[in-house]
Amino acid sequence: MNKKTVLSIDDDENLQIVITQYLEADGYKIVTAGDSASALEKADQHLDVILLDLVLPDGEGLTLIPQFRSKTSAGIIVVSGKSDTTEKIVCLEMGADDYITKPFEMRELSARIKAVLRRKEPSNDSPAAPKESEDTAEKIAFEGQWILDRNQYQLYNKDSSSAELTTGEFKLLEALLLSPNKALSRERLFTLTRDGEYDVYDRAIDIQIARLRKKIGDDTKSPTLIKTVRGVGYMFTGKID
Amino acid sequence: MNKKTVLSIDDDENLQIVITQYLEADGYKIVTAGDSASALEKADQHLDVILLDLVLPDGEGLTLIPQFRSKTSAGIIVVSGKSDTTEKIVCLEMGADDYITKPFEMRELSARIKAVLRRKEPSNDSPAAPKESEDTAEKIAFEGQWILDRNQYQLYNKDSSSAELTTGEFKLLEALLLSPNKALSRERLFTLTRDGEYDVYDRAIDIQIARLRKKIGDDTKSPTLIKTVRGVGYMFTGKID
DNA sequence: CACGCTTGTTACAAAAATGAAACAAAGTTT
DNA sequence: AAACTTTGTTTCATTTTTGTAACAAGCGTG
């Protein structure tokens, strides 16, 4: 459920294979269609981006744009074999979000998909996004025992003793506490607490969670504070005071 | 009063004049800047779109992207003198929303501005908007007894006891609940809940349904929650609260 | 009713996911 | 530069989840 879904509509099966492999490696879920009819069928499922080749065997590529537009909020990127301004404009005016000309590099397609998705779903750190009051609190108390001091980047017990968290551990706990009782994926935790690119096989967040649990005395087998949501990530289940 | 505001940043005064005249006739309010410093000054006002030429006299065009990105939610369209894929990708990844190469037709620029604005502010009459609340609801209650908590990836009884669903079981139930009283094929359920290829002889969904039924106490012979549609798949028939 | 197909059940196997520990590497401080 | 701290990597162990296979039960049709 967490992967973005891309519908790629093209009768060129070789290109479909290339696109599928590349974007799957990029973390997307790919659905393919070779003509308009099956494309419309597949548009019934939840889609995030539609890659639409204009030249389809049943000649209806262009007419698909308004159909998709009225059917789904997915971003529509037109894939065309020619760099024709009129065609670009017509597509954009009919509702497409972007236009890319074959032959293109997969990196460019990937970047354009990301840009379209970014506008579709405003970044969580968008200045337009209202922050909950909790997000600006200097301290977060939980379980009647702990206080996370966000100015000091540290966690204290009720007797004022420091848990001696590293900055990384602090940030991880902070991220969990800001979304209590909500499972956060490893990728999300990574993005919230660090810079750089996330690798789906990375175990670093797991290790960090283990180290954090050890410092706050949470038992893995019957956790009261940080629960593992298997196949998803981690969730704070303690009681915010 | 309702005119969108476009900031055009370019040291080419002739082009600025052409852009200004064309876009003003198109109904926009144009603000111009010839270098980075004055561009940043003018970014303090409300902007809807920023047209950013990369080659500015003080050589800081590219670095303006993240600055604008963190400062405003305006759409950023990069205007470049060369069609270089690496440059395109770098700009898109740094936060630009689109990229257009000189020389361009004003019609194309206008259409790209409109496309960016369209994504920035989804139309109020967009048919995609309905059903969103349902699809994004954090909890789904049904049969006056159960609550599916989509943040926690878990199902709870009214006494708050967990059904202890696996993530796979949770996703399957979620998919059924999001389309109540609609028979979903095994293939559809597979596609909605998992990655990978579906094999028509696969029995995995059947097994998972059986396990789910067991956990929620649904009797196969007279089901109240999940009904088998023979030859089709499965359907949620319980009452959504 | 008989038959073939579809779905349900169950026990064990296989795969997947996560925890733990030890050492390495990278970063920071003195 | 050395010492210390933090984080990463790797390997193995453990737990959980899912799959497989075989048989049973149910359903639909001739």
Side-chain angles (χ1 to χ4, degrees):
Chain A
M1 292 286 186
N2 294 326
K3 283 191 183 183
K4 301 298 184 186
T5 306
V6 177
L7 170 61
S8 176
I9 308 164
D10 203 312
D11 62 328
D12 180 345
E13 292 188 2
N14 289 331
L15 183 59
Q16 291 282 54
I17 291 169
V18 173
I19 286 177
T20 297
Q21 288 181 348
Y22 190 92
L23 294 183
E24 277 182 350
D26 235 10
Y28 299 99
K29 177 179 171 187
I30 313 300
V31 181
T32 59
D35 59 37
S36 302
S38 73
L40 281 170
E41 257 182 52
K42 299 192 178 180
D44 284 339
Q45 65 187 300
H46 171 74
L47 298 172
D48 297 291
V49 176
I50 296 171
L51 303 179
L52 174 60
D53 184 21
L54 285 189
V55 182
L56 295 177
D58 42 6
E60 297 183 1
L62 195 58
T63 64
L64 284 177
I65 298 179
Q67 290 179 71
F68 287 136
R69 191 73 289 152
S70 66
K71 195 172 191 140
T72 171
S73 62
I76 302 175
I77 300 180
V78 171
V79 179
S80 176
K82 55 182 175 177
S83 181
D84 177 75
T85 297
T86 300
E87 188 179 83
K88 281 189 198 177
I89 293 165
V90 168
C91 291
L92 292 170
E93 290 185 339
M94 285 177 86
D97 299 290
D98 207 348
Y99 183 105
I100 186 170
T101 311
K102 294 178 185 172
F104 52 80
E105 290 190 41
M106 293 307 306
R107 288 186 306 155
E108 182 182 348
L109 177 63
S110 179
R112 286 188 180 274
I113 289 173
K114 287 191 177 94
V116 165
L117 286 173
R118 196 165 56 227
R119 293 218 67 82
K120 184 190 172 194
E121 297 181 353
S123 158
N124 287 331
D125 60 355
S126 162
K131 296 285 187 181
E132 295 184 3
S133 58
E134 233 176 310
D135 270 10
T136 57
E138 294 177 0
K139 299 177 206 278
I140 305 178
F142 60 95
E143 288 288 303
Q145 179 181 354
W146 300 97
I147 296 178
L148 186 78
D149 191 317
R150 296 169 76 188
N151 289 333
Q152 299 193 27
Y153 283 80
Q154 195 48 258
L155 175 69
Y156 296 98
N157 212 333
K158 63 186 173 183
D159 61 3
S160 294
S161 62
S162 164
E164 296 187 4
L165 303 187
T166 63
T167 303
E169 288 160 3
F170 167 86
K171 286 180 178 174
L172 192 58
L173 180 58
E174 181 186 46
L176 290 167
L177 285 172
L178 290 179
S179 298
N181 291 302
K182 178 175 179 181
L184 301 178
S185 67
R186 285 169 186 81
E187 180 169 11
R188 179 113 183 92
L189 287 168
F190 186 96
T191 302
L192 286 173
T193 61
R194 302 163 181 234
D195 300 324
E197 294 298 306
Y198 179 72
D199 168 5
V200 291
Y201 301 106
D202 191 21
R203 301 292 309 282
I205 293 288
D206 300 285
I207 309 306
Q208 214 169 19
I209 287 280
R211 286 171 177 158
L212 177 56
R213 276 173 165 154
K214 190 165 184 180
K215 287 188 180 179
I216 60 178
D218 212 21
D219 178 19
T220 312
K221 294 193 180 141
S222 51
T224 57
L225 300 178
I226 299 175
K227 177 174 159 54
T228 305
V229 181
R230 201 169 169 86
V232 179
Y234 297 97
M235 171 169 81
F236 183 76
T237 53
K239 177 167 168 296
I240 304 279
D241 295 341
Chain B
M1 301 296 174
N2 292 329
K3 284 190 181 182
K4 302 295 184 187
T5 308
V6 177
L7 170 61
S8 176
I9 309 163
D10 204 310
D11 63 328
D12 179 347
E13 292 188 0
N14 289 330
L15 184 59
Q16 290 284 52
I17 290 168
V18 172
I19 287 177
T20 299
Q21 289 182 347
Y22 190 93
L23 292 183
E24 278 182 348
D26 234 9
Y28 299 100
K29 175 183 169 187
I30 312 302
V31 181
T32 59
D35 59 35
S36 301
S38 73
L40 281 170
E41 259 183 46
K42 300 192 179 179
D44 285 339
Q45 64 187 299
H46 170 76
L47 298 173
D48 298 291
V49 176
I50 297 172
L51 304 178
L52 175 60
D53 185 20
L54 285 190
V55 182
L56 296 177
D58 43 4
E60 297 184 0
L62 195 58
T63 63
L64 285 177
I65 298 178
Q67 291 179 71
F68 287 138
R69 191 72 288 150
S70 66
K71 193 172 192 140
T72 173
S73 62
I76 303 176
I77 301 179
V78 171
V79 179
S80 176
K82 55 180 174 176
S83 181
D84 178 74
T85 297
T86 301
E87 187 178 84
K88 279 189 198 176
I89 291 166
V90 168
C91 291
L92 292 170
E93 289 186 340
M94 286 178 87
D97 300 290
D98 208 349
Y99 183 107
I100 187 170
T101 311
K102 295 175 184 175
F104 52 80
E105 289 190 43
M106 293 307 306
R107 287 188 304 156
E108 182 182 351
L109 178 62
S110 178
R112 286 189 179 273
I113 289 173
K114 286 190 176 96
V116 165
L117 286 174
R118 196 165 57 228
R119 293 216 68 82
K120 183 190 173 193
E121 298 179 352
S123 159
N124 287 332
D125 59 356
S126 165
K131 241 186 175 178
E132 284 266 327
S133 61
E134 198 177 335
D135 271 7
T136 59
E138 292 177 3
K139 298 177 205 280
I140 304 179
F142 60 95
E143 288 288 303
Q145 178 181 355
W146 300 98
I147 295 177
L148 187 77
D149 190 318
R150 295 170 77 189
N151 285 331
Q152 299 197 29
Y153 285 79
Q154 194 50 256
L155 176 69
Y156 295 99
N157 213 332
K158 64 185 174 184
D159 61 3
S160 296
S161 62
S162 164
E164 296 188 4
L165 303 187
T166 64
T167 302
E169 288 159 4
F170 167 86
K171 286 177 178 178
L172 191 58
L173 180 58
E174 182 185 45
L176 290 167
L177 284 172
L178 289 179
S179 299
N181 293 301
K182 177 178 177 182
L184 301 177
S185 68
R186 285 169 187 80
E187 181 170 9
R188 180 137 179 78
L189 287 167
F190 187 95
T191 302
L192 285 172
T193 61
R194 302 165 180 232
D195 301 323
E197 293 297 306
Y198 179 70
D199 169 3
V200 290
Y201 300 107
D202 192 21
R203 300 288 311 282
I205 293 288
D206 301 286
I207 310 303
Q208 213 167 22
I209 287 279
R211 286 173 174 155
L212 178 56
R213 275 172 166 155
K214 188 167 185 178
K215 287 187 178 179
I216 60 178
D218 210 22
D219 179 19
T220 312
K221 292 177 184 163
S222 51
T224 57
L225 300 178
I226 299 174
K227 177 176 160 50
T228 305
V229 182
R230 196 175 167 87
V232 178
Y234 298 96
M235 172 168 78
F236 183 77
T237 54
K239 178 169 167 297
I240 303 278
D241 296 341

